[in-house]
Amino acid sequence: MNQSISSIAEKKISILEKRILKAKVSKKLDLSDLSLTSIPTEVLDLTHIESIALTNNLGLILGNELAKFSNLRFLKIDYLGLTKVPEIVTQISSLESLDISGNCISELPETFSNLKNLKRFKLYNCDFEVFPKVLYQLEKLEDLNLAFQEKQNAIHINQALRNLKKLNLNANYGSTVSVKLPKLIVLNLDNCGLKSFESICIHKKLKSVSIRLNKNLNFIPNQIVELQKLQAIHFYLSDDFQGIDKLNELPKLKRIHVQFLSTNPKKLKDILKIISFTDLYLEGSFENRKLWKKILKKPNLEVLYRISNYYDEKINIQRARNEIGIKI
């Protein structure tokens, strides 16, 4: 047993040495999955480092060692078992990207406002019950991921985040965005219990919107025409889904991702009548051969995926057409 533990420890030391050598030329230091309890002293001289990943070192204690990395721009401290954001992190004003996902963190300190250069912030799968108001002070924030908070409470955004471009609120039931985010181009409101498009159509610059697993949202509204820049839509297709034809009013729509739970083949036929799209992603159980033939006959189809719980399959469209004798 002791020999086995010793062998594992030696292997991790070897991995660490290799990663340090790589970091000396790449400016990226990966210390993930090493069962660390502190930052190794061997890396403290690598002051040129711009990116550090400490992912999945449960119990790691972050002290002032991080202050030595004066050029640090990207930091991952996800899945460490943290209950609060370490104070040293809020002092790294050069940070542009921070990931604290998978920790038992439920609030951000006021000193978080020191991170004036932060552009990307991922706090996926934490314990937040409300939107952290200190984030409204981060004027450079562009990409925010608040998906899958542990208690799945409603997250309400009711003040402007004027430079935010990407927002993910997936699986926080009842979440809303009640103010216009002027630069927002990507919005994920999957599994949020949506009943209307109110939190969507106010964002005129949207290029991608995802509204899957909202079982009460069974229609495309007339207001969708206001999203003239929309290029991708992901939605849940049920037997009673209405208004698919309104997608024809979106000239830039290229990608349709359907969570296909309808047993009515007409629903998919309605999607195939949408002229502009070229990329089709079908998620769920779907084995209707006649419909597959209709899909492959769509002349401007460029990308076709089948997605299930077990695999993602990219279909070779030309080969599939050849096999059943379709000529485009």
Side-chain angles (χ1 to χ4, degrees):
M1 178 66 74
N2 290 337
Q3 187 175 5
S4 177
I5 293 173
S6 176
S7 176
I8 292 172
E10 288 175 3
K11 183 177 180 181
K12 288 185 175 179
I13 291 172
S14 176
I15 293 172
L16 176 59
E17 290 172 347
K18 290 178 181 178
R19 292 183 182 181
I20 290 174
L21 288 172
K22 187 175 181 179
K24 287 181 178 180
V25 295
S26 70
K27 296 184 180 181
K28 297 180 180 180
L29 178 60
D30 182 6
L31 298 175
S32 302
D33 302 297
L34 292 176
S35 302
L36 300 175
T37 56
S38 63
I39 295 179
T41 56
E42 299 96 313
V43 307
L44 297 181
D45 291 334
L46 302 176
T47 54
H48 70 292
I49 291 296
E50 296 182 359
S51 174
I52 297 178
L54 293 163
T55 303
N56 199 28
N57 287 293
L58 193 64
L60 174 68
I61 297 174
L62 287 173
N64 291 328
E65 300 94 339
L66 283 176
K68 294 183 178 292
F69 303 98
S70 57
N71 296 305
L72 196 60
R73 296 167 55 209
F74 308 94
L75 178 62
K76 289 173 64 68
I77 52 172
D78 47 326
Y79 298 93
L80 302 184
L82 300 174
T83 57
K84 62 181 182 180
V85 176
E87 187 64 27
I88 184 61
V89 172
T90 68
Q91 297 174 22
I92 308 173
S93 59
S94 58
L95 275 183
E96 296 178 18
S97 177
L98 176 63
D99 187 348
I100 65 169
S101 300
N103 289 299
C104 302
I105 297 173
S106 59
E107 60 183 9
L108 299 177
E110 284 301 314
T111 51
F112 202 85
S113 62
N114 294 334
L115 303 181
K116 299 295 186 184
N117 291 302
L118 198 65
K119 295 179 181 180
R120 290 171 292 279
F121 186 29
K122 188 174 182 180
L123 46 163
Y124 173 99
N125 192 24
C126 289
D127 284 351
F128 289 87
E129 296 185 35
V130 297
F131 187 80
K133 291 185 178 180
V134 69
L135 294 182
Y136 291 126
Q137 300 179 45
L138 303 183
E139 295 190 358
K140 292 187 178 181
L141 194 61
E142 296 180 359
D143 187 344
L144 180 59
N145 188 337
L146 269 156
F148 289 94
Q149 296 308 303
E150 186 66 28
K151 296 184 179 179
Q152 298 186 350
N153 282 29
I155 302 292
H156 300 295
I157 297 178
N158 50 30
Q159 295 182 41
L161 293 157
R162 64 181 186 179
N163 285 307
L164 196 68
K165 295 179 180 179
K166 297 181 180 181
L167 175 62
N168 188 342
L169 294 175
N170 187 355
N172 296 306
Y173 198 84
S175 293
T176 58
V177 184
S178 58
V179 294
K180 183 179 178 181
L181 304 176
K183 293 188 178 180
L184 194 68
I185 58 174
V186 178
L187 177 61
N188 187 325
L189 291 173
D190 288 349
N191 200 18
C192 285
L194 295 181
K195 296 181 180 179
S196 75
F197 272 67
E198 288 182 19
S199 290
I200 299 170
C201 289
I202 59 174
H203 308 296
K204 311 298 184 188
K205 293 186 178 181
L206 276 179
K207 293 183 179 181
S208 175
V209 63
S210 189
I211 50 173
R212 291 173 293 173
L213 289 171
N214 287 289
K215 295 185 179 180
N216 293 319
L217 194 64
N218 59 355
F219 64 97
I220 300 290
N222 292 326
Q223 300 99 298
I224 197 78
V225 70
E226 298 174 19
L227 303 180
Q228 286 294 295
K229 295 186 178 182
L230 198 68
Q231 297 175 11
I233 185 167
H234 308 212
F235 62 95
Y236 175 105
L237 186 65
S238 59
D239 284 332
D240 58 348
F241 200 89
Q242 302 295 322
I244 294 173
D245 60 305
K246 294 184 177 67
L247 295 178
N248 257 326
E249 299 180 41
L250 303 175
K252 294 188 177 181
L253 187 64
K254 180 174 180 177
R255 172 174 172 171
I256 295 179
H257 184 137
V258 181
Q259 188 172 12
F260 191 78
L261 296 175
S262 173
T263 57
N264 184 355
K266 183 180 182 300
K267 295 299 178 183
L268 189 53
K269 289 179 182 178
D270 289 343
I271 289 175
L272 294 176
K273 292 177 184 177
I274 308 304
I275 297 169
S276 62
F277 85 89
T278 59
D279 303 355
L280 181 61
Y281 292 68
L282 294 175
E283 182 176 355
S285 178
F286 179 72
E287 299 297 338
N288 190 311
R289 296 196 173 201
K290 289 184 178 179
L291 280 181
W292 269 116
K293 195 169 184 177
K294 287 185 177 294
I295 291 169
L296 292 168
K297 283 183 176 180
K298 182 175 171 58
N300 61 338
L301 189 66
E302 296 176 1
V303 177
L304 179 59
Y305 268 91
R306 294 178 65 179
I307 302 168
S308 75
N309 292 332
Y310 307 104
Y311 64 87
D312 293 359
E313 179 187 7
K314 184 177 182 180
I315 306 297
N316 185 316
I317 295 173
Q318 190 56 54
R319 183 188 299 167
R321 284 171 173 165
N322 292 340
E323 286 176 355
I324 56 178
I326 294 175
K327 294 182 179 180
I328 301 295

